[in-house]
Amino acid sequence: MPRPLFAGNWKLNLLRAGAVDLAGALRKGLEGEKNVDVVVCPPYTALAAVTEVLKGSAIGVGGQDLYWQDSGAFTGEVSGPMLADLGCRWVIVGHSERRSYFGETDEAVGKKLRAAQKAGLEPIVCVGERLDERERGVTKEVVGRQLDGALGGLTKDELRKLTVAYEPVWAIGTGKVATPEQAQEVHAFIRERLLKLSDAATAREVRVLYGGSVTPENVRGLMEKPDVNGALVGGASLKADSFLKIARG
Ligand code: PGA
């Protein structure tokens, strides 16, 4: 079983002072915690301040997105080497908000994850179906297409260095968490897909996180499922006490 990973996606929230306070409280609250990995993904503007606060701690820092070119005339974008230069070791790619509000395709997600790995960052690759897709019974088709589009062609070694997050779009920010059974069904499907793309050892090793309205109250039920290896947390990661409860159990 891979080590559980809990990642906080702060999205478009917090100015530097608030981000520093939250990071400081997490550092304190997670001191001596050896059983789980914890990552926070602040907005770009707070990354430098947060990496400074968390320097020398076990808490990793990640970007929420990146562009696939390292540098050049791409106004507004931030690259993998820039994130790495700030001390990030992680980056979220293909979040459903990027896909739906900013038109990100599976192909773009694939390019971003390759750029992240080239820069030495560990990508957290998000997949998940919309409500209408679940209602039409095409959840696995959608998630399978997203996985193949982003991960197809990666070597086993590259697959081992990424994390997948299953985030049903209907569960994100809605308070409507997937049941542990719903999550497990898709996680097992993701694991099968990883097996097709690699081998049994690799498929077992890749962490598959659940994301979408995770709270301290519902996380244990999800974590009891064999293919759920942690959580990507939005709203509940913005308060130290709730994120600590999620991460520490
Ligand atoms: P949520 O967001 O926990 O607020 O639902 C999760 C995510 O978007 O990663």
Side-chain angles (χ1 to χ4, degrees):
M1 279 286 260
R3 229 171 120 75
L5 167 65
F6 295 95
N9 174 10
W10 295 358
K11 307 192 181 184
L12 181 58
N13 294 293
L14 298 177
L15 300 178
R16 281 179 305 156
V20 162
D21 284 352
L22 178 54
L26 295 178
R27 181 177 186 145
K28 212 163 146 224
L30 289 165
E31 223 156 336
E33 175 57 65
K34 294 204 163 52
N35 299 323
V36 299
D37 290 333
V38 175
V39 171
V40 293
C41 300
Y44 291 134
T45 47
L47 275 174
V50 168
T51 47
E52 195 56 38
V53 173
L54 296 177
K55 205 180 267 173
S57 80
I59 305 174
V61 182
Q64 296 175 12
D65 185 28
L66 82 167
Y67 192 53
W68 59 78
Q69 297 282 355
D70 287 352
S71 62
F74 304 102
T75 302
E77 296 295 327
V78 167
S79 71
M82 288 172 175
L83 293 175
D85 182 47
L86 274 180
C88 291
R89 289 193 297 113
W90 301 81
V91 65
I92 298 170
V93 296
H95 191 279
S96 72
E97 286 149 18
R98 300 293 322 164
R99 292 177 189 262
S100 63
Y101 303 142
F102 304 99
E104 248 175 50
T105 60
D106 293 330
E107 193 199 347
V109 176
K111 284 189 191 172
K112 288 184 173 196
L113 96 82
R114 282 163 179 78
Q117 290 192 326
K118 193 171 124 230
L121 302 168
E122 175 151 347
I124 300 173
V125 185
C126 303
V127 296
E129 81 288 1
R130 298 189 312 259
L131 182 60
D132 64 300
E133 292 166 333
R134 173 159 285 263
E135 285 172 349
R136 275 190 286 126
V138 294
T139 295
K140 289 181 186 169
E141 217 174 297
V142 170
V143 170
R145 194 173 59 230
Q146 290 171 335
L147 284 174
D148 291 348
L151 309 187
L154 292 183
T155 64
K156 288 176 200 167
D157 202 41
E158 288 164 336
L159 279 171
R160 238 179 263 128
K161 291 185 196 141
L162 60 80
T163 294
V164 176
Y166 169 55
E167 299 207 303
V169 179
W170 48 270
I172 296 177
T174 58
K176 250 184 95 181
V177 65
T179 64
E181 291 67 33
Q182 284 174 322
Q184 170 58 26
E185 190 186 353
V186 182
H187 281 231
F189 168 77
I190 292 171
R191 194 83 62 198
E192 262 169 48
R193 235 354 120 102
L194 289 168
L195 178 62
K196 268 196 204 143
L197 294 168
S198 59
D199 56 25
T202 307
R204 244 194 334 266
E205 222 177 285
V206 175
R207 287 189 280 211
V208 184
L209 312 182
Y210 168 80
S213 296
V214 171
T215 63
E217 290 71 39
N218 61 33
V219 70
R220 288 307 123 206
L222 291 159
M223 290 301 292
E224 273 166 19
K225 294 296 175 190
D227 288 301
V228 179
N229 309 122
L232 180 55
V233 186
S237 74
L238 290 171
K239 291 265 181 300
D241 63 338
S242 55
F243 192 54
L244 286 170
K245 275 188 200 142
I246 290 169
R248 286 191 308 219

